[in-house]
Amino acid sequence: MSVSVGKNIMVYVETVSKSPVSGALEALSKAHKLAADRGEKVIAVLIGLDLEEAARTSILAGADQAIMVNREAYNMEVYGEVLTKLAEKYRPSLILSAGTLAGKDIMPMVACRLHTGCAVDVMDITETDGQLVFTCPVYGGTVLNQLIIKGTPAIAVVRSGAFAKELTSERTGEIFKEKVETEETSRLKIVDVVKEMAEAVNLEEAEVIVSGGRGMGSLENFKLVEQLAEACHGVVGATRPAIEAEWVPRSHQVGQSGKIVAPKLYIACGISGATQHVSGMIGSGYIVAINKDEDAPVFDIADVGIVGDAVKIIPLLIEEIKRI
Ligand code: FAD
């Protein structure tokens, strides 16, 4: 069933260990700005158990209302149905979610059920002549597409780091529970959740990432990247060649076919700056690149470039950081 008239912005607030993921708070803060311009409200939707604290955080990040829906365990089909039913009831003009795996799973399904469109990997949302325009990268970030969604509500999965999260302590809002009936006959049954050790490292939420590329040369040299990350209290990222060389597990890959990250500081070691890598880290606040080739494309996007052998430079950096 499609939702005909739309008003207000709904944000699906995904939680991990009962806290909202960063991307959801970023989406809420963007929604707050868009809603203020349009004279609308922001409605946060949280699905799970014991989410009062997460609901309060959602209010601080920009929601006017936070709706909590009880569900025991994650199931994309059930969560999608919950969001669909809430969209039918509250009739938002726009639904946003974080660009996590769950967001990318659920939102296209909700769009399909509501017979509307879904923009994924959204880097910006603007308004022209009363219409929302979604900016999304294509061809590995070399081209930016601007999309208008004809259906209502428009649905967008936003790229992590695309919008700033702004938590304001004096913001108040309404928090309440809703009962949403869903089909008991979900075709999807999650029998077990297996957490890969490397997944404990959450690249999308990291404030500092130190990444290594093919230029590190060997598994032994790549350990320097890990040591620098440890010295900076950061996490390790990598390019695809470093993953393929098995210097680090695949879950650390940054880029078009890896993770989209936006830390405050990104240190690229022995990385050329290919578009497929850069498209995953261009949203970083401050980029430092170490490369022995002064013409490497990575220097075009770096705030600070160090020309030299990363194997020699990284130990010096670690020494200096430890001195601070
Ligand atoms: P290279 O391009 O080989 O660069 C190595 C760099 O190290 C060079 O600039 C060199 O000057 C420098 N160097 C060498 N030795 C040293 C030294 N001792 N000290 C300092 N610098 C040194 N790649 C990703 O990273 N992520 C992705 O998600 C991704 N997805 C892709 C998807 C598709 C469809 C395709 C086709 C490709 C994808 N790639 C991805 C691969 C991408 O195109 C590049 O090949 C890759 O990013 C290059 O990795 P690199 O910078 O480590 O290696």
Side-chain angles (χ1 to χ4, degrees):
M1 181 190 150
S2 69
V3 176
S4 51
V5 194
K7 199 169 162 20
N8 301 325
I9 302 175
M10 185 172 270
V11 179
Y12 166 53
V13 179
E14 181 185 340
T15 55
V16 171
S17 309
K18 306 199 187 302
S19 294
V21 297
S22 243
L25 298 177
E26 291 160 13
L28 279 167
S29 297
K30 178 63 183 174
H32 178 74
K33 287 192 180 131
L34 284 170
D37 292 344
R38 295 153 66 91
E40 296 186 352
K41 278 192 308 192
V42 177
I43 305 165
V45 176
L46 299 99
I47 310 174
L49 294 176
D50 306 324
L51 295 175
E52 284 77 7
E53 198 51 49
R56 272 189 284 280
T57 309
S58 303
I59 300 284
L60 302 186
D64 299 287
Q65 287 183 334
I67 301 173
M68 295 179 296
V69 181
N70 275 358
R71 280 297 177 278
E72 290 274 342
Y74 176 70
N75 178 316
M76 64 179 272
E77 229 183 335
V78 174
Y79 278 36
E81 200 182 338
V82 168
L83 281 163
T84 305
K85 291 203 164 152
L86 289 175
E88 286 165 354
K89 177 171 176 186
Y90 288 91
R91 308 200 308 169
S93 55
L94 172 66
I95 307 181
L96 299 179
S97 90
T100 55
L101 285 177
K104 288 176 195 162
D105 263 354
I106 298 169
M107 289 303 148
M109 185 200 302
V110 175
C112 188
R113 287 180 179 182
L114 294 173
H115 301 293
T116 184
C118 178
V120 180
D121 205 13
V122 171
M123 294 171 71
D124 199 10
I125 307 171
T126 50
E127 198 168 351
T128 309
D129 300 330
Q131 270 196 314
L132 292 171
V133 181
F134 301 92
T135 306
C136 312
V138 286
Y139 305 127
T142 46
V143 174
L144 293 179
N145 237 350
Q146 293 204 307
L147 309 175
I148 288 171
I149 296 173
K150 294 283 188 191
T152 309
I155 298 187
V157 179
V158 302
R159 174 185 270 237
S160 47
F163 306 110
K165 69 175 167 213
E166 290 166 19
L167 274 70
T168 309
S169 55
E170 61 269 19
R171 206 172 269 153
T172 55
E174 191 190 357
I175 298 175
F176 56 94
K177 282 193 178 161
E178 277 239 7
K179 257 195 161 170
V180 182
E181 301 294 333
T182 45
E183 295 268 334
E184 289 308 315
T185 52
S186 166
R187 281 159 297 175
L188 180 80
K189 190 173 170 210
I190 296 179
V191 285
D192 197 7
V193 177
V194 182
K195 194 165 185 181
E196 195 186 333
M197 284 298 280
E199 284 294 340
V201 178
N202 192 344
L203 276 172
E204 285 106 330
E205 305 271 314
E207 296 209 332
V208 178
I209 296 177
V210 182
S211 277
R214 183 167 14 220
M216 291 311 300
S218 66
L219 174 61
E220 197 190 340
N221 288 347
F222 198 87
K223 295 210 182 318
L224 290 170
V225 173
E226 295 168 3
Q227 288 162 19
L228 180 57
E230 198 183 331
C232 302
H233 305 292
V235 298
V236 175
T239 63
R240 195 162 89 173
I243 304 288
E244 283 165 355
E246 298 187 356
W247 297 339
V248 64
R250 186 160 295 281
S251 51
H252 291 252
Q253 183 176 324
V254 173
Q256 184 187 326
S257 46
K259 300 212 169 130
I260 309 290
V261 300
K264 287 186 180 155
L265 173 64
Y266 191 92
I267 308 180
C269 311
I271 291 176
S272 61
T275 4
Q276 291 86 359
H277 183 74
V278 169
S279 64
M281 48 65 83
I282 192 71
S284 306
Y286 200 82
I287 301 169
V288 177
I290 310 169
N291 196 303
K292 68 177 185 185
D293 173 8
E294 63 177 26
D295 294 322
V298 72
F299 290 132
D300 297 340
I301 52 131
D303 296 287
V304 169
I306 304 171
V307 180
D309 184 348
V311 180
K312 292 191 180 133
I313 291 164
I314 294 175
L316 300 176
L317 281 177
I318 294 172
E319 214 174 289
E320 281 303 314
I321 291 165
K322 284 189 176 160
R323 239 200 285 271
I324 300 171

